Amino acid sequence: MADYVLAIDQGTTSSRAIIFDSSGSIVSTGQKEHEQIFPKAGWVEHDAEEIWTNVRDVVGQALGRASLQAKDIAAIGITNQRETAVVWDKNTGKPVYNAIVWQDTRTQKICDRLAGDVGAEKYKAKVGLPLATYFAGPKVVWILENVEGAREKAEAGDLLAGTMDTWVLWNMTGGADGGVHVTDVTNASRTLLMDLETLDWDASIAADMGIPLSMLPEIRSSAEVYGKDREGGLLAGVPIAGILGDQQAATFGQACFEVGMAKNTYGTGNFMLMNTGTEIVPSKNGLLTTVCYKIGDAPAVYALEGSIAVTGSLVQWLRDNLKVISAAPEIEALASTVDDNGGAYFVPAFSGLFAPYWRGDARGALVGLTRYVTIGHIARAALEATAFQTAEVLEAMNADSGVELTELKVDGGMIANEVLMQFQADVLGVDVVRPKVAETTALGAAYAAGIAVGFWSGEQDVIDNWAEDRRWTPEMKGEERDRLMRNWKKAVTKTFDWVDEDVE
């Protein structure tokens, strides 16, 4: 058998290809950023064709840097930004509109309309999610209602819809010339359209939204052969055998296979998932119930998730919009110029508030300002916002699961920031643990694909490969932690009710 597995990680800000060996170590990588399109306040879009071009480029980079060819790759796994939705013409392969990104808030009125008198929990018992702008279904509705000719084409069976895993897979397997239109259970569970028990599309919800079932991909497990890379592709003939939404992929890559194990990913946003096993655990505290993974014919494993919209993207905002720093890693040095936040709290509700509040009417606020506050305090407040939001999610998770978390496995770009990681341990009051291979999202997708083709024998190989790199232990006194959290929660309330009826 070939010696390597390649993972495509189609993320919010960039697309990457990472090649792993049998020990789960990185052999080579390719990465390319794509444009973030902001047509109006609260709108976030991506050019799906640019992303497909970039995916091919980064696969070429990764293969080239390791001097490898298709014959060296045993399988391909795909992981992706989850709720971002794209609609395209199946005959031409062209998107009818830009992909609408998970952070986008334009569908608030559609969500309100669907909620009607029942409220945002209307579908939650079936799909595990509240009606919120975050999820993919209402984004498809917006395209059908606002793009000229889209509704007619959809009714005629000419349009396909999907999250970015589906778009990448369809193109890799031939596109308009026989492309496979499939998604996995983890991505399907982020649309508001999949029944968590049956793991199939709910026809009544799709009808309620006005989405023809013919547009939707077939739902499959997270680890099986969906198809092979097209003739003429760089990986021609290699089986594409794993798909996991990015946060579920990271959970898999972190070997969180036992009930009660949890990980937190620090990326554009933050996402904490706790494995609840084969049991569907409804949340009473503002969390999401989602599919964690499904390996082939084995039963689906579920999770509770706390989703936070803005964490790493707040640092990007300070870099790109305010020019406070010229590169993201500089935030740590700037925050280190002060000992605390100087009384300033930064609540980055740029896309409303996600877990545990689910307030689409919220907008960002920087509060507690005095003449004492410097740019260093603001940088620190921006980092602390990530830790505070995570602490609120953990509170909800402990309450919902009845399990007190004893340590938190972490991954994602921001875990290189030691100031943040120590503060995170302090406000959580539990150890924070970083793995040796921090690219757990791509690694999880690689493991799923490798298990499907027999490259790895199963979950035990993942457990055996996982290794601890660094651990942060809480140092803060309990009274100080309580004071900081009290002030943070006060700051959050200042962001509510910002968006009025006359705001689009």
Side-chain angles (χ1 to χ4, degrees):
M1 179 176 275
D3 293 329
Y4 307 100
V5 173
L6 183 142
I8 293 166
D9 180 357
Q10 201 300 291
T12 307
T13 57
S14 70
S15 299
R16 296 184 301 169
I18 304 183
I19 297 172
F20 295 95
D21 64 16
S22 59
S23 72
S25 300
I26 293 172
V27 175
S28 70
T29 64
Q31 180 166 6
K32 199 166 183 182
E33 289 196 4
H34 54 263
E35 185 185 0
Q36 305 295 311
I37 303 164
F38 306 106
K40 296 183 183 181
W43 292 31
V44 191
E45 297 175 2
H46 292 156
D47 178 343
E49 289 188 283
E50 178 195 5
I51 285 174
W52 169 229
T53 299
N54 288 0
V55 165
R56 284 174 287 172
D57 285 351
V58 298
V59 167
Q61 287 174 12
L63 289 169
R65 286 167 185 169
S67 299
L68 297 175
Q69 299 170 272
K71 65 179 175 59
D72 300 308
I73 307 298
I76 302 160
I78 298 172
T79 182
N80 58 293
Q81 47 166 332
R82 294 174 299 179
E83 298 78 9
T84 298
V86 60
V87 174
W88 68 97
D89 187 312
K90 71 178 185 184
N91 305 305
T92 65
K94 298 283 185 189
V96 300
Y97 188 80
N98 279 337
I100 301 180
V101 180
W102 58 272
Q103 301 152 305
D104 189 286
T105 58
R106 80 184 69 183
T107 57
Q108 186 62 55
K109 285 189 169 66
I110 291 170
C111 292
D112 293 342
R113 184 181 81 212
L114 289 166
D117 298 331
V118 183
E121 309 266 297
K122 183 177 180 182
Y123 308 130
K124 195 171 182 189
K126 273 189 181 174
V127 304
L129 316 171
L131 264 164
T133 60
Y134 180 25
F135 305 109
K139 300 180 198 300
V140 174
V141 175
W142 188 94
I143 290 171
L144 292 179
E145 293 181 354
N146 290 277
V147 175
E148 193 175 342
R151 168 69 64 193
E152 292 73 22
K153 277 187 165 184
E155 300 288 358
D158 288 327
L159 295 190
L160 300 178
T163 40
M164 298 310 287
D165 59 303
T166 301
W167 169 248
V168 170
L169 176 69
W170 187 80
N171 280 292
M172 287 188 78
T173 52
D177 184 20
V180 175
H181 190 222
V182 159
T183 191
D184 90 302
V185 287
T186 66
N187 280 291
S189 75
R190 315 300 293 194
T191 59
L192 280 165
L193 293 161
M194 189 191 82
D195 185 311
L196 285 174
E197 287 194 15
T198 65
L199 304 179
D200 209 348
W201 302 120
D202 186 288
S204 63
I205 297 175
D208 210 16
M209 290 193 189
I211 298 174
L213 287 171
S214 61
M215 294 180 74
L216 300 176
E218 183 187 348
I219 302 172
R220 306 268 280 275
S221 81
S222 311
E224 61 179 89
V225 176
Y226 314 106
K228 294 184 176 178
D229 192 38
R230 70 208 181 286
E231 285 181 37
L234 286 171
L235 295 163
V238 178
I240 302 163
I243 298 176
L244 286 157
D246 53 9
Q247 304 312 322
Q248 285 92 336
T251 309
F252 203 84
Q254 286 272 38
C256 293
F257 298 131
E258 290 179 31
V259 174
M261 292 181 83
K263 70 87 207 177
N264 197 31
T265 297
Y266 296 73
T268 304
N270 261 40
F271 304 89
M272 189 188 297
L273 271 76
M274 178 185 277
N275 184 326
T276 64
T278 53
E279 184 186 356
I280 299 170
V281 178
S283 174
K284 297 182 176 67
N285 295 282
L287 301 181
L288 309 175
T289 304
T290 196
V291 181
C292 195
Y293 57 87
K294 183 181 189 307
I295 302 305
D297 295 330
V301 172
Y302 296 90
L304 282 168
E305 174 176 337
S307 311
I308 302 164
V310 177
T311 54
S313 54
L314 175 56
V315 177
Q316 288 178 320
W317 182 80
L318 289 172
R319 179 193 69 192
D320 299 340
N321 293 40
L322 298 195
K323 314 294 185 193
V324 167
I325 50 175
S326 57
E330 292 172 15
I331 193 84
E332 184 171 12
L334 191 54
S336 299
T337 60
V338 293
D339 294 329
D340 54 37
N341 63 19
Y345 292 80
F346 205 150
V347 187
F350 296 164
S351 299
L353 286 168
F354 286 11
Y357 296 98
W358 299 105
R359 295 288 297 252
D361 60 355
R363 287 297 178 268
L366 179 56
V367 301
L369 299 182
T370 61
R371 288 285 298 273
Y372 172 71
V373 171
T374 66
I375 198 66
H377 293 114
I378 290 171
R380 190 173 183 98
L383 290 182
E384 290 184 355
T386 295
F388 287 134
Q389 291 180 98
T390 297
E392 289 205 273
V393 164
L394 183 60
E395 280 179 18
M397 208 158 265
N398 286 340
D400 271 338
S401 67
V403 179
E404 289 288 322
L405 201 68
T406 54
E407 66 176 29
L408 184 64
K409 290 182 172 181
V410 298
D411 52 67
M414 293 181 86
I415 66 168
N417 190 314
E418 309 233 339
V419 170
L420 171 59
M421 290 296 100
Q422 182 58 55
F423 188 76
Q424 185 68 88
D426 286 341
V427 295
L428 291 181
V430 299
D431 283 9
V432 168
V433 185
R434 180 171 73 195
K436 280 220 165 106
V437 178
E439 297 293 352
T440 54
T441 301
L443 183 56
Y447 279 138
I451 288 169
V453 300
F455 184 83
W456 286 291
S457 59
E459 286 97 323
Q460 190 58 48
D461 284 348
V462 183
I463 295 165
D464 293 344
N465 283 347
W466 190 92
E468 181 178 318
D469 174 54
R470 174 81 201 271
R471 180 178 292 261
W472 289 269
T473 299
E475 295 172 353
M476 186 181 286
K477 289 194 169 79
E479 314 85 80
E480 175 66 0
R481 181 185 308 135
D482 293 346
R483 183 186 70 80
L484 289 168
M485 285 304 299
R486 182 184 76 236
N487 284 336
W488 165 258
K489 290 184 178 188
K490 194 191 303 180
V492 170
T493 65
K494 308 302 179 192
T495 70
F496 296 165
D497 298 313
W498 196 258
V499 179
D500 294 326
E501 278 296 306
D502 58 354
V503 176
E504 189 176 333

Coordinates of all heavy atoms in Angstrom, one line a residue, residues 384-419:
E384 N -8.2 38.0 25.8 CA -9.0 37.5 27.0 C -10.4 37.2 26.5 O -11.1 36.3 27.1 CB -9.0 38.5 28.1 CG -7.7 38.6 28.8 CD -7.7 39.6 30.0 OE1 -8.7 40.2 30.2 OE2 -6.6 39.6 30.7
A385 N -10.9 37.9 25.5 CA -12.3 37.6 25.0 C -12.4 36.2 24.6 O -13.5 35.6 24.8 CB -12.6 38.6 23.9
T386 N -11.4 35.7 23.9 CA -11.4 34.3 23.5 C -11.5 33.3 24.7 O -12.3 32.4 24.7 CB -10.1 33.9 22.7 OG1 -10.1 34.7 21.5 CG2 -10.0 32.5 22.4
A387 N -10.8 33.6 25.8 CA -10.8 32.7 27.0 C -12.1 32.9 27.7 O -12.7 31.9 28.2 CB -9.6 33.1 27.9
F388 N -12.6 34.1 27.8 CA -13.9 34.3 28.5 C -15.1 33.6 27.8 O -15.9 32.9 28.5 CB -14.2 35.8 28.6 CG -13.4 36.6 29.6 CD1 -12.9 37.8 29.3 CD2 -13.2 36.1 30.9 CE1 -12.1 38.5 30.2 CE2 -12.4 36.8 31.8 CZ -11.9 38.0 31.5
Q389 N -15.1 33.7 26.5 CA -16.2 33.1 25.7 C -16.1 31.5 25.9 O -17.1 30.9 26.1 CB -16.1 33.4 24.3 CG -16.4 34.9 24.0 CD -16.3 35.2 22.5 OE1 -17.3 35.3 21.8 NE2 -15.1 35.5 22.0
T390 N -14.9 31.0 25.9 CA -14.7 29.6 26.1 C -15.1 29.2 27.5 O -15.8 28.1 27.6 CB -13.2 29.2 25.9 OG1 -12.8 29.5 24.5 CG2 -12.9 27.8 26.2
A391 N -14.9 30.0 28.5 CA -15.3 29.7 29.9 C -16.8 29.6 30.0 O -17.3 28.7 30.7 CB -14.7 30.7 30.8
E392 N -17.5 30.5 29.3 CA -19.0 30.4 29.3 C -19.5 29.2 28.6 O -20.5 28.6 29.1 CB -19.5 31.7 28.6 CG -19.3 32.9 29.4 CD -20.4 34.0 29.1 OE1 -20.1 34.8 28.1 OE2 -21.4 34.0 29.8
V393 N -18.8 28.8 27.5 CA -19.3 27.5 26.9 C -19.0 26.3 27.8 O -19.8 25.4 27.8 CB -18.5 27.4 25.5 CG1 -18.6 26.0 25.0 CG2 -19.1 28.4 24.5
L394 N -17.9 26.3 28.5 CA -17.6 25.2 29.3 C -18.6 25.1 30.5 O -19.0 24.0 30.9 CB -16.1 25.3 29.9 CG -15.7 24.1 30.8 CD1 -15.7 22.8 30.0 CD2 -14.3 24.3 31.3
E395 N -19.0 26.2 31.0 CA -20.0 26.2 32.1 C -21.3 25.5 31.6 O -21.9 24.7 32.3 CB -20.4 27.7 32.5 CG -19.4 28.4 33.4 CD -19.9 29.8 33.7 OE1 -21.1 30.1 33.4 OE2 -19.0 30.6 34.2
A396 N -21.7 25.9 30.3 CA -22.9 25.3 29.8 C -22.7 23.8 29.5 O -23.6 23.0 29.8 CB -23.2 26.0 28.4
M397 N -21.5 23.4 29.1 CA -21.2 22.0 28.8 C -21.3 21.2 30.1 O -21.8 20.1 30.1 CB -19.9 21.9 28.1 CG -19.7 20.7 27.2 SD -18.4 21.0 26.0 CE -19.3 21.6 24.6
N398 N -20.7 21.7 31.1 CA -20.7 21.0 32.4 C -22.2 20.8 32.9 O -22.5 19.7 33.4 CB -19.9 21.7 33.5 CG -18.4 21.6 33.3 OD1 -17.9 20.7 32.6 ND2 -17.7 22.5 33.9
A399 N -23.0 21.8 32.7 CA -24.4 21.8 33.1 C -25.2 20.8 32.3 O -26.0 20.0 32.8 CB -25.0 23.2 33.0
D400 N -25.0 20.8 31.0 CA -25.7 19.9 30.1 C -25.3 18.4 30.2 O -26.2 17.6 30.2 CB -25.5 20.3 28.6 CG -26.5 21.3 28.1 OD1 -27.6 21.4 28.7 OD2 -26.2 22.0 27.1
S401 N -24.1 18.2 30.3 CA -23.6 16.8 30.3 C -23.6 16.2 31.7 O -23.6 14.9 31.8 CB -22.1 16.8 29.8 OG -21.2 17.4 30.7
G402 N -23.6 17.0 32.7 CA -23.4 16.4 34.1 C -22.0 15.9 34.4 O -21.8 15.3 35.4
V403 N -21.1 16.2 33.4 CA -19.7 15.8 33.6 C -18.8 17.0 33.8 O -18.9 17.9 33.0 CB -19.2 15.0 32.3 CG1 -17.8 14.6 32.5 CG2 -20.1 13.8 32.0
E404 N -18.1 17.0 34.9 CA -17.2 18.1 35.1 C -15.9 17.8 34.4 O -15.2 16.9 34.7 CB -16.9 18.3 36.6 CG -18.0 18.8 37.5 CD -18.3 20.3 37.2 OE1 -17.3 21.1 37.0 OE2 -19.5 20.7 37.2
L405 N -15.6 18.7 33.4 CA -14.4 18.5 32.6 C -13.1 18.7 33.5 O -13.0 19.6 34.3 CB -14.3 19.5 31.5 CG -13.4 19.1 30.3 CD1 -14.0 17.9 29.6 CD2 -13.4 20.3 29.3
T406 N -12.1 17.7 33.4 CA -10.9 17.8 34.2 C -9.8 18.4 33.5 O -8.8 18.9 34.1 CB -10.5 16.4 34.7 OG1 -10.4 15.5 33.6 CG2 -11.6 15.9 35.7
E407 N -9.8 18.3 32.2 CA -8.7 19.0 31.4 C -9.3 19.3 30.0 O -10.3 18.6 29.6 CB -7.4 18.2 31.3 CG -7.6 16.9 30.5 CD -6.3 16.1 30.3 OE1 -5.4 16.2 31.2 OE2 -6.2 15.4 29.3
L408 N -8.7 20.2 29.3 CA -9.2 20.6 28.0 C -8.1 20.4 27.0 O -7.0 21.1 27.1 CB -9.7 22.1 28.0 CG -10.4 22.5 26.7 CD1 -11.6 21.8 26.4 CD2 -10.7 24.0 26.8
K409 N -8.3 19.6 26.0 CA -7.4 19.5 24.8 C -7.6 20.6 23.9 O -8.8 20.9 23.6 CB -7.6 18.1 24.1 CG -7.2 16.9 24.9 CD -7.4 15.6 24.1 CE -6.8 14.4 24.7 NZ -7.0 13.2 23.9
V410 N -6.6 21.3 23.4 CA -6.7 22.4 22.6 C -5.9 22.3 21.3 O -5.0 21.5 21.2 CB -6.2 23.7 23.3 CG1 -7.1 24.0 24.5 CG2 -4.7 23.6 23.7
D411 N -6.4 22.9 20.2 CA -5.7 22.9 18.9 C -6.1 24.2 18.2 O -6.9 25.0 18.6 CB -6.1 21.7 18.1 CG -7.6 21.4 18.0 OD1 -8.2 22.3 17.3 OD2 -8.1 20.5 18.6
G412 N -5.5 24.4 17.0 CA -5.8 25.6 16.2 C -4.7 26.6 16.3 O -3.8 26.5 17.1
G413 N -4.8 27.6 15.4 CA -3.7 28.5 15.3 C -3.3 29.3 16.5 O -2.1 29.6 16.8
M414 N -4.3 29.7 17.4 CA -4.1 30.5 18.5 C -3.4 29.8 19.7 O -3.0 30.5 20.6 CB -5.4 31.2 19.0 CG -6.0 32.1 18.0 SD -7.5 32.9 18.7 CE -6.9 34.2 19.6
I415 N -3.3 28.5 19.6 CA -2.7 27.8 20.8 C -1.2 28.0 20.8 O -0.5 27.7 21.8 CB -3.0 26.3 20.8 CG1 -2.4 25.6 19.6 CG2 -4.5 26.1 20.9 CD1 -2.4 24.0 19.8
A416 N -0.6 28.7 19.8 CA 0.8 29.1 19.9 C 1.0 30.2 20.8 O 2.1 30.5 21.3 CB 1.3 29.4 18.5
N417 N -0.1 30.9 21.2 CA -0.1 32.1 22.0 C -0.1 31.7 23.5 O -1.1 31.3 24.0 CB -1.3 33.0 21.7 CG -1.2 34.3 22.3 OD1 -0.9 34.5 23.5 ND2 -1.5 35.4 21.5
E418 N 1.1 31.8 24.1 CA 1.3 31.2 25.5 C 0.5 32.1 26.5 O 0.0 31.6 27.5 CB 2.8 31.1 25.8 CG 3.5 30.3 24.7 CD 4.3 29.2 25.3 OE1 4.7 29.2 26.5 OE2 4.6 28.3 24.5
V419 N 0.5 33.4 26.2 CA -0.2 34.3 27.2 C -1.7 33.9 27.2 O -2.3 33.8 28.3 CB -0.1 35.8 26.7 CG1 -1.1 36.7 27.5 CG2 1.3 36.3 26.9

